């Protein structure tokens, strides 16, 4: 069984008095390994926590050095992620084509979602 690297940050999360059950959140994150992508919307669907609270927790994990932040473009045409990741807003090109439906995504920054990657 894989060890849960996120257990180490549990005391820090508990200090912040977030509107989540820290132990449940940490248990959910135990399914992630190094280099895995974490989608806040997936956590929201599974655990039913407010999306703002989820981002607050993930930002705490980022600041503690457990995960890093990326942007991924969501295609408004086929409703899927493009599979292209960007570290900063400046890296997002003006022209982005969806790898799933081959359509151009107009104003890709308007369709960017913040996701995270386990270090």
């Amino acid at each position: 069984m894989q060890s849960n690297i996120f257990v180490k940050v549990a005391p820090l999360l508990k200090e912040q008095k977030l509107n989540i059950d820290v132990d449940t959140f940490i248990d959910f994150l135990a399914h992630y390994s190094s280099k895995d992508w974490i989608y806040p919307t997936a956590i929201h669907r599974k655990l039913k926590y407010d999306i703002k609270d989820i981002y607050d927790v993930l930002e705490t994990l980022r600041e503690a050095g457990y995960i890093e932040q990326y942007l991924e473009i969501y295609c408004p045409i086929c409703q899927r992620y493009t599979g292209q990741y960007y570290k900063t807003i400046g890296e997002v090109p003006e022209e982005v084509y969806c790898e799933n439906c081959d359509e151009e995504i107009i104003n890709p920054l308007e369709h960017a979602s913040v996701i995270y990657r386990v270090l």
Side-chain angles (χ1 to χ4, degrees):
M1 182 171 184
Q2 154 188 335
S3 71
N4 185 352
I5 62 169
F6 297 107
V7 169
K8 297 175 191 172
V9 79
L12 176 63
L13 294 177
K14 288 179 180 180
E15 286 176 11
Q16 292 189 345
K17 308 277 191 251
L18 300 164
N19 293 324
I20 63 162
D21 181 296
V22 172
D23 294 325
T24 300
F25 199 94
I26 296 297
D27 287 346
F28 181 79
L29 291 179
H31 297 97
Y32 293 95
S33 300
S34 181
K35 307 292 185 215
D36 283 348
W37 295 103
I38 300 175
Y39 288 83
T41 53
I43 298 171
H44 172 71
R45 277 192 310 275
K46 182 67 176 173
L47 300 180
K48 308 291 189 232
Y49 294 137
D50 183 270
I51 196 72
K52 183 186 178 315
D53 293 330
I54 292 168
Y55 275 105
D56 287 345
V57 172
L58 293 173
E59 278 301 303
T60 299
L61 294 174
R62 183 190 62 76
E63 290 169 2
Y66 290 94
I67 60 178
E68 57 187 348
Q69 186 182 76
Y70 283 84
L71 297 170
E72 186 176 19
I73 309 302
Y74 187 77
C75 178
I77 298 157
C78 72
Q79 310 298 309
R80 296 173 68 190
Y81 284 100
T82 64
Q84 300 164 335
Y85 307 100
Y86 307 96
K87 286 287 289 170
T88 66
I89 289 173
E91 291 179 1
V92 178
E94 291 182 26
E95 290 184 1
V96 172
Y97 289 87
C98 179
E99 295 178 359
N100 302 297
C101 68
D102 294 325
E103 294 291 328
E104 181 180 6
I105 299 172
I106 308 298
N107 299 319
L109 279 177
E110 290 181 12
H111 305 286
S113 296
V114 175
I115 62 171
Y116 298 86
R117 190 170 194 187
V118 181
L119 295 173

